[in-house]
Amino acid sequence: MKKYVLITGASRGIGRSSALLFAKNNYHVFLNCRSSADELTQVKETIDRIEGASCDIVMGDAGNPKEVREIFKKIETVCGRLDVLVNNAGISHIGLLSDMSDDEWDAVIQTNLSSVFYCCRAAIPKMVSEKRGRIINVSSMWGVSGASMEAAYSASKSGVNGLTRALAKELAPSNIQVNAIACGVIDTVMNSQLSESEKKALEYDIPMGRFGSPAEIAKVIWDLANAPEYMTGQILGVDGGYL
């Protein structure tokens, strides 16, 4: 029997790896991203080549409540409810807080934090009606410890962590598990802006001596989707021993 998962930010990196993993394991995957239509189409084409796998593209800005409503209208034409929601969409901003514009701040908060709220709000009612479902939020170790020159990003991910813990308590009576992954430095496009010297400095600080891979985080997302029901409200650190 097919299950259904929505993955935001599925065009590359952690989202792409997660989509492929769920598709290989009998999930119908709803692939979402805001603007990388060509890359998302490539993910769909890859899934379509997997025997028995299925997926749909649901383009839209997860940080925009109107677009999230449209995304879920499309999902409802295919299935009654989601089994799993993976809130993965995210952007970064590096720079002094004092130099950050209003629009830059809003973009980080909307994409990283508000998107989690909007997607959860849309998915929860039908999960509650059947008293089952999993919500997995992709957060960051910087939401735990904070990072210099990444104040907005750190604030947004700290908000995701707080939302995860609070929502887990709210939904526990309905047998819906809500957990988050506090990712360390992962080898994704988001970190490609780092210079070679910056990458080497970060690797030196990581006890494992390397960046994590999107596939490793995807595996943790999969494990959380299949974890015991009693596991909820957790912020699971996957950072190579950094914190």
Side-chain angles (χ1 to χ4, degrees), residues 32-35 58-63 67-68 71:
N32 163 264
C33 75
R34 180 178 59 190
S35 57
V58 285
M59 291 290 295
D61 182 358
E67 294 191 30
V68 169
I71 289 167

Side-chain angles (χ1 to χ4, degrees), residues 185-187 191 194 199 202-203 206 209-213 216:
V185 186
I186 309 302
D187 190 12
N191 287 315
L194 298 171
K199 288 180 180 179
L202 269 173
E203 288 174 344
I206 299 169
R210 64 174 177 85
F211 290 5
S213 72
E216 287 175 308

Side-chain angles (χ1 to χ4, degrees), residues 18 34 51 76-77 80 114-115 132 134-135 147 149 152 170 184 189-190 205 225 227 235 237 239:
S18 299
R34 180 178 59 190
E51 184 177 355
E76 287 169 10
T77 65
S114 296
S115 65
R132 60 192 176 99
R134 303 284 173 121
I135 297 172
M149 302 289 285
E170 188 172 314
V189 172
M190 185 181 290
D205 289 335
I235 313 299
D239 58 21

Side-chain angles (χ1 to χ4, degrees), residues 31 60 81 103 128 152 177 186 196 199 204 218 221 229:
L31 303 165
R81 67 168 183 85
D103 288 343
V128 168
Q177 292 74 47
I186 309 302
E196 285 303 314
K199 288 180 180 179
Y204 180 81
I221 291 171
E229 292 178 349

